[in-house]
Amino acid sequence: MTQTYEDFSKFGKEFADTGLKSFASLSKGAQAIAAEAGEYTKKSFEAGSAAVEKMISAKSLEKAIEIQSEFAKQSYESFVAEATRIGDLYAELAKDAYKPFESIVAKAK
């Protein structure tokens, strides 16, 4: 009976330690994602402001449309690249958060 309690206590402590490691990984990953999103927002705002300034100073309607088209193309490409990067960060976060539990799962099998 004592051995069972000790095993259960040991397992509980190991699970709690693993949970804390996983939570630390989640926190670190969330911070990385937030920083990446913030940086993208800043760059996107700056690019938009620059495009508006260029359009305002355009000498003709055709030139303004050309500037707008180029801005839309660059914005789309930038968004796709950033969405891919954020997706990769989320995948990495999930892997890092699960990693501490791998040993527990292996023991359970």
Side-chain angles (χ1 to χ4, degrees):
M1 177 91 169
T2 308
Q3 184 64 30
T4 303
Y5 176 76
E6 289 174 5
D7 289 344
F8 184 74
S9 177
K10 181 181 173 185
F11 180 75
K13 182 183 180 316
E14 183 180 350
F15 191 77
D17 290 343
T18 302
L20 289 174
K21 288 177 187 176
S22 179
F23 182 73
S25 294
L26 285 171
S27 295
K28 183 180 174 185
Q31 287 175 350
I33 291 168
E36 186 73 26
E39 188 65 29
Y40 170 73
T41 301
K42 179 182 173 187
K43 288 178 183 178
S44 179
F45 181 76
E46 290 171 352
S49 297
V52 168
E53 288 177 14
K54 285 181 184 179
M55 283 189 288
I56 289 172
S57 66
K59 302 288 185 197
S60 67
L61 180 61
E62 290 81 21
K63 184 65 176 171
I65 291 172
E66 180 183 322
I67 292 168
Q68 169 60 24
S69 297
E70 184 61 31
F71 171 70
K73 178 183 173 193
Q74 289 175 351
S75 293
Y76 175 75
E77 290 171 355
S78 175
F79 172 76
V80 170
E82 187 64 22
T84 301
R85 173 75 179 129
I86 296 285
D88 291 344
L89 287 173
Y90 272 110
E92 193 174 310
L93 179 141
K95 288 176 190 175
D96 289 346
Y98 175 72
K99 189 170 282 192
F101 290 102
E102 287 177 340
S103 63
I104 292 177
V105 171
K107 287 179 185 178
K109 288 184 178 182

